[in-house]
């Protein structure tokens, strides 16, 4: 689900090209200066066209932020789908999926942090679309965990599958949000190991109970 952003231009190939240019420029600027510290004139200049041309492809500065958030979420979703599709269900597969997701969050830390710091500036309707994309990413893990449960190597109950999916996504994002503190005590590798152990152990404890 995505919101359509109005454009004065009717050539969709050109719209796609120009918006890719402005998204790339906006991401780089907003990572450094934040949403409020970045002007549309700066975005247009960095994208290689005039401010007038920029407003042929969007209506407001909020449109740019929405396109940035949608682009980052789409990138995460595409990469996660690729990861999951190559991993067999089972305990080892779940551990591998967690590892690769947290590694991806490390590689995309600046972009992930950008969404969560700046998306609050979006109008309510746009923010609903952004939050819905977040749930789509969690749903990918939920579907994979259902496969793991059916495979039978871990005692995962139907009731805990959605919560576990949320836990994995949040623990991955936490590395991006709190890396400034976590890196004082953990390397990326040790963080992955500890969090994976924590998640798997929480499943095994349920079996004992």
């Amino acid at each position: 689900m995505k919101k359509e952003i109005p454009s004065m231009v009717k050539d969709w190939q050109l719209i796609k090209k120009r918006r890719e240019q402005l998204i790339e420029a906006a991401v780089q600027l907003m990572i450094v200066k934040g949403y409020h510290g970045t002007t549309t004139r700066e975005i247009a200049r960095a994208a290689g066209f005039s401010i007038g041309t920029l407003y042929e492809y969007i209506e407001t500065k909020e449109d740019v932020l929405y396109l940035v958030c949608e682009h980052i979420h789409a990138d995460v979703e595409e990469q996660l789908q690729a990861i999951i599709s190559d991993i067999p269900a089972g305990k080892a597969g779940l551990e591998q999926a967690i590892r690769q997701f947290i590694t991806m969050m490390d590689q995309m830390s600046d972009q992930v942090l950008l969404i969560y710091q700046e998306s609050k500036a979006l109008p309510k309707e746009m923010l609903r679309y952004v939050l819905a994309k977040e749930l789509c990413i969690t749903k990918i893990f939920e579907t994979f965990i259902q496969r793991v449960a059916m495979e039978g190597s871990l005692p995962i109950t139907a009731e805990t599958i959605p919560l576990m999916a949320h836990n994995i996504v949040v623990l991955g994002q936490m590395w991006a949000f709190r890396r400034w503190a976590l890196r004082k005590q953990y390397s990326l590798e040790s963080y992955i190991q500890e969090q994976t152990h924590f998640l798997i152990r929480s499943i095994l404890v349920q079996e004992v109970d």
Side-chain angles (χ1 to χ4, degrees):
M1 181 173 59
K2 63 187 292 185
K3 177 177 172 57
E4 294 299 328
I5 302 299
S7 171
M8 294 171 60
V9 178
K10 302 307 177 186
D11 183 339
W12 285 104
Q13 287 298 109
L14 187 56
I15 292 172
K16 182 175 183 293
K17 177 181 177 181
R18 293 299 189 213
R19 284 184 175 173
E20 285 175 352
Q21 290 174 301
L22 73 88
I23 288 168
E24 182 179 357
V27 167
Q28 297 307 314
L29 287 166
M30 290 179 187
I31 285 174
V32 175
K33 304 179 68 173
Y35 169 72
H36 294 290
T38 301
T39 67
T40 52
R41 192 170 297 277
E42 288 174 317
I43 294 169
R45 187 184 306 117
F49 40 81
S50 69
I51 186 69
T53 299
L54 181 143
Y55 278 108
E56 292 178 1
Y57 296 94
I58 51 102
E59 290 185 334
T60 67
K61 185 181 175 184
E62 287 83 2
D63 288 348
V64 178
L65 179 58
Y66 171 78
L67 289 171
V68 164
C69 291
E70 202 279 331
H71 170 77
I72 294 170
H73 270 138
D75 193 8
V76 171
E77 192 170 345
E78 181 180 352
Q79 290 190 56
L80 183 55
Q81 287 282 20
I83 288 169
I84 295 299
S85 65
D86 290 336
I87 296 175
K91 178 176 179 290
L94 181 58
E95 291 173 345
Q96 185 180 348
I98 294 168
R99 168 175 294 279
Q100 292 196 37
F101 179 69
I102 296 177
T103 300
M104 181 174 67
M105 289 293 95
D106 176 62
Q107 295 167 349
M108 297 186 66
S109 288
D110 289 337
Q111 292 94 324
V112 172
L113 192 58
L114 171 60
I115 288 180
Y116 284 92
Q117 285 182 329
E118 308 297 352
S119 61
K120 60 183 178 291
L122 289 169
K124 287 183 179 180
E125 182 187 5
M126 287 183 173
L127 183 57
R128 282 197 295 271
Y129 280 96
V130 170
L131 294 177
K133 291 296 290 184
E134 187 71 19
L135 292 178
C136 287
I137 292 167
T138 306
K139 189 67 178 180
I140 295 172
F141 261 115
E142 188 174 332
T143 301
F144 180 72
I145 297 167
Q146 287 171 345
R147 286 172 49 204
V148 175
M150 292 176 63
E151 185 268 346
S153 60
L154 285 171
I156 305 172
T157 64
E159 293 77 12
T160 59
I161 288 173
L163 184 58
M164 187 171 185
H166 281 285
N167 283 343
I168 293 170
V169 173
V170 170
L171 290 174
Q173 293 169 341
M174 186 169 74
W175 180 256
F177 300 157
R178 299 190 63 83
R179 54 186 168 168
W180 58 272
L182 291 168
R183 283 176 176 166
K184 295 176 182 178
Q185 294 179 279
Y186 304 97
S187 65
L188 175 61
E189 177 61 28
S190 63
Y191 179 81
I192 291 171
Q193 289 179 356
E194 290 294 333
Q195 296 291 28
T196 303
H197 178 67
F198 170 79
L199 288 165
I200 299 300
R201 183 175 58 190
S202 70
I203 298 171
L204 296 176
V205 167
Q206 293 177 46
E207 184 179 36
V208 174
D209 292 344

